[in-house]
Amino acid sequence: MSNKPGHQARKRFGQNFLQDPGVIERIVRAIHPKADDTIVEIGPGLGAITEEILAVNPALQVVELDRDLIPVLRTKFFNYPEFRIHEADALKFDFRQLVSDKPLRIIGNLPYNISTPLIFHLLSQAGVVQDMHFMLQKEVVQRMGAVPGDNNYGRLGIMTQYFCKVQPLFEVGPGAFRPAPKVDSAIVRLVPHQVLPHPAKDLETLQAVVRTAFNARRKTLRKALAGLVTVEQLQQLGINDGLRPENLSLADYVAIADSLVDRKTGSAGVSGDDHG
């Protein structure tokens, strides 16, 4: 490995640069980029994955917050005139503006410190996305794919599965990065559903129910959702109020949220579709 100082990874950006060629090749194979895809990379870092994607798709776009990295990327990829860098915070970036005639394919080695809010931000724009491939902390990927009854099951998994099919692909050890993180990583593929399997009448109500439930995940539903629904209302829905939040499926949570919407509108037939 060369000893040139280069760009130092920054703690405040949660940077861990991927450097293992075998892992990079595996990730690119999993993404399977094509020349005419609309691909957006979040946090390209020093361009390890960027370089491989550009070789196939010279119109790759990247979103990078660290302004010190931008001249490094411009210099490294100067011979790709269609390569575009958006200097922006991915947490606030409107990815919909990048859609052309094809839906977006979003990729990235996501900083661990913002991965969960960033996933929620991207899910809100899932309607314009073909698929997403992310490197995340292994535990985050486990949470995204968790099923009812799992210790890892919670708000992140429920809301990710509301919008997407979750496919954990493979794990990556700390040695593949510089500096080496203190945790294992994993690659996950998220494919937005063409048709939502359990569409909610109001997305914000669903999010509020799930958030409230898992703020008290150790309590029974009777207590965890006390401010929102009564025991009788849960029983009417065929849901056992003695269960814990982690025992309910996505469909159960949608049923609870829809019943709240129906009560608010005073009609079981009114649907304020808001899938965002």
Side-chain angles (χ1 to χ4, degrees):
M1 224 180 86
S2 78
N3 292 319
K4 63 178 189 208
H7 181 91
Q8 296 303 305
R10 295 190 170 186
K11 232 185 176 94
R12 75 186 174 100
F13 291 136
Q15 289 171 340
N16 296 91
F17 297 129
L18 192 56
Q19 59 173 14
D20 182 314
V23 172
I24 292 164
E25 188 192 337
R26 249 188 116 178
I27 292 170
V28 174
R29 242 195 345 256
I31 295 167
H32 195 57
K34 298 190 182 65
D36 59 346
D37 286 340
T38 306
I39 305 179
V40 186
E41 183 180 9
I42 296 171
L46 296 170
I49 293 175
T50 319
E51 186 167 15
E52 303 300 320
I53 302 282
L54 276 171
V56 180
N57 184 306
L60 172 69
Q61 302 184 64
V62 300
V63 178
E64 178 55 67
L65 178 60
D66 183 350
R67 61 171 55 126
D68 292 347
L69 279 175
I70 290 170
V72 176
L73 292 166
R74 283 201 206 289
T75 304
K76 187 169 183 177
F77 303 122
F78 76 94
N79 54 340
Y80 290 98
E82 293 176 273
F83 174 58
R84 283 178 61 199
I85 301 173
H86 302 275
E87 186 184 332
D89 181 350
L91 272 171
K92 301 188 181 104
F93 191 74
D94 183 0
F95 287 84
R96 286 172 284 227
Q97 66 184 331
L98 306 183
V99 177
S100 55
D101 55 338
K102 294 191 113 182
L104 302 179
R105 304 194 67 201
I106 302 176
I107 63 174
N109 169 15
L110 301 190
Y112 297 148
N113 54 354
I114 61 157
S115 59
T116 303
L118 185 50
I119 294 291
F120 277 106
H121 178 59
L122 292 165
L123 291 175
S124 73
Q125 303 177 53
V128 299
V129 175
Q130 177 183 322
D131 59 21
M132 300 183 260
H133 289 81
F134 296 131
M135 168 103 69
L136 293 157
Q137 197 170 327
K138 178 178 154 186
E139 183 212 1
V140 175
V141 172
Q142 287 171 335
R143 281 164 51 206
M144 289 170 114
V147 296
D150 282 2
N151 284 340
N152 290 312
Y153 185 67
R155 181 173 162 241
L156 180 64
I158 291 168
M159 294 316 302
T160 304
Q161 291 167 40
Y162 177 85
F163 287 106
C164 301
K165 184 177 171 201
V166 180
Q167 297 174 291
L169 298 181
F170 55 91
E171 294 176 15
V172 180
F177 301 90
R178 196 192 82 235
K182 294 182 174 64
V183 293
D184 284 333
S185 303
I187 305 291
V188 66
R189 176 186 292 136
L190 304 177
V191 183
H193 300 299
Q194 293 294 312
V195 178
L196 294 178
H198 304 287
K201 293 181 177 181
D202 180 69
L203 185 56
E204 281 180 20
T205 304
L206 174 63
Q207 288 172 320
V209 169
V210 173
R211 191 183 302 115
T212 304
F214 283 95
N215 280 345
R217 65 181 300 144
R218 298 281 162 254
K219 295 184 175 170
T220 59
L221 288 172
R222 181 186 318 125
K223 290 183 177 151
L225 293 175
L228 283 177
V229 281
T230 64
V231 170
E232 293 74 41
Q233 285 157 354
L234 286 171
Q235 287 169 348
Q236 277 169 6
L237 294 168
I239 294 170
N240 177 352
D241 61 287
L243 294 174
R244 290 195 167 152
E246 66 203 39
N247 299 122
L248 263 58
S249 67
L250 166 61
D252 292 330
Y253 280 109
V254 171
I256 294 170
D258 284 356
S259 74
L260 292 177
V261 173
D262 290 342
R263 282 211 313 285
K264 212 165 29 181
T265 58
S267 154
V270 175
S271 167
D273 272 317
D274 177 19
H275 303 320

